[in-house]
Amino acid sequence: MSSNVVDLEAFVALPDHARLLGLDLGTKTIGLALSDLERQIATPLETIKRVKFSLDAVALLKVADKYAVAGLVIGLPLNMDGTEGPRVQSTRAFVRNLVPLTSLPMVFWDERMSTLAVTRTLLDADASRAKRAAVVDKMAAAYILQGALDRLMRMEPDEPAQD
């Protein structure tokens, strides 16, 4: 792809106190989640209604700019057996088209089970169907981003001991 589509290890070198933006790319919406400045907690942010790529990209990059995002974590909807189907191809095409529009580093993150896990949580919370529909995409983005943040925390070298 491109030099700004990287492995998660590259995110360890991002500047301190820079947020990450998680994306759950659906056919009708893009769920967004934002990390805190310490990159430990993912919070559902908003949902972008998809129109066409150019408008979707502008809306996405506007959010990234507003929150001074240092990188994008993009959910990769692999099949349950790990193979790539049409949804993965669509996600990769979106990223391929986004790459020339930004210098932000991007990483794919396996999103299998994210929507299912979020939907179960919402059902357990007795959320109505309308409420679930309104929040599931941004919550799935938070689930995706939290997975990447947890992995990043395990990758970072431990702080040196203070005397």
Side-chain angles (χ1 to χ4, degrees):
M1 265 204 186
S2 165
S3 61
N4 54 336
V5 176
V6 298
D7 290 327
L8 189 64
E9 290 79 19
F11 276 36
V12 172
L14 290 175
D16 290 340
H17 305 294
R19 298 176 189 269
L20 298 179
L21 188 65
L23 282 73
D24 179 37
L25 291 172
T27 54
K28 296 179 182 176
T29 61
I30 302 172
L32 301 178
L34 191 65
S35 76
D36 63 330
L37 291 171
E38 286 75 34
R39 294 195 291 265
Q40 295 181 358
I41 300 169
T43 303
L45 184 61
E46 67 181 77
T47 303
I48 296 172
K49 181 129 176 84
R50 300 215 39 193
V51 183
K52 66 177 189 174
F53 173 79
S54 58
L55 297 174
D56 300 345
V58 166
L60 170 63
L61 294 175
K62 190 176 192 180
V63 171
D65 188 50
K66 176 180 179 181
Y67 293 99
V69 167
L72 304 176
V73 177
I74 301 161
L76 192 64
L78 297 168
N79 293 325
M80 290 307 291
D81 64 0
T83 60
E84 296 189 5
R87 289 189 59 227
V88 169
Q89 292 170 357
S90 176
T91 298
R92 289 191 188 281
F94 183 92
V95 170
R96 214 173 15 256
N97 291 328
L98 186 62
V99 161
L101 304 178
T102 181
S103 61
L104 288 173
M106 300 175 214
V107 65
F108 289 113
W109 189 257
D110 183 352
E111 72 163 61
R112 280 180 283 186
M113 305 295 288
S114 62
T115 301
L116 179 62
V118 167
T119 301
R120 282 190 179 153
T121 301
L122 290 168
L123 286 169
D124 289 346
D126 206 23
S128 69
R129 183 182 305 262
K131 178 67 173 171
R132 289 192 311 265
V135 301
V136 71
D137 295 318
K138 63 185 176 182
M139 288 185 67
Y143 186 93
I144 292 162
L145 180 56
Q146 190 64 56
L149 293 174
D150 291 348
R151 179 71 182 106
L152 265 175
M153 283 191 281
R154 290 192 303 271
M155 293 168 68
E156 290 183 358
D158 293 329
E159 295 287 322
Q162 300 264 330
D163 290 333

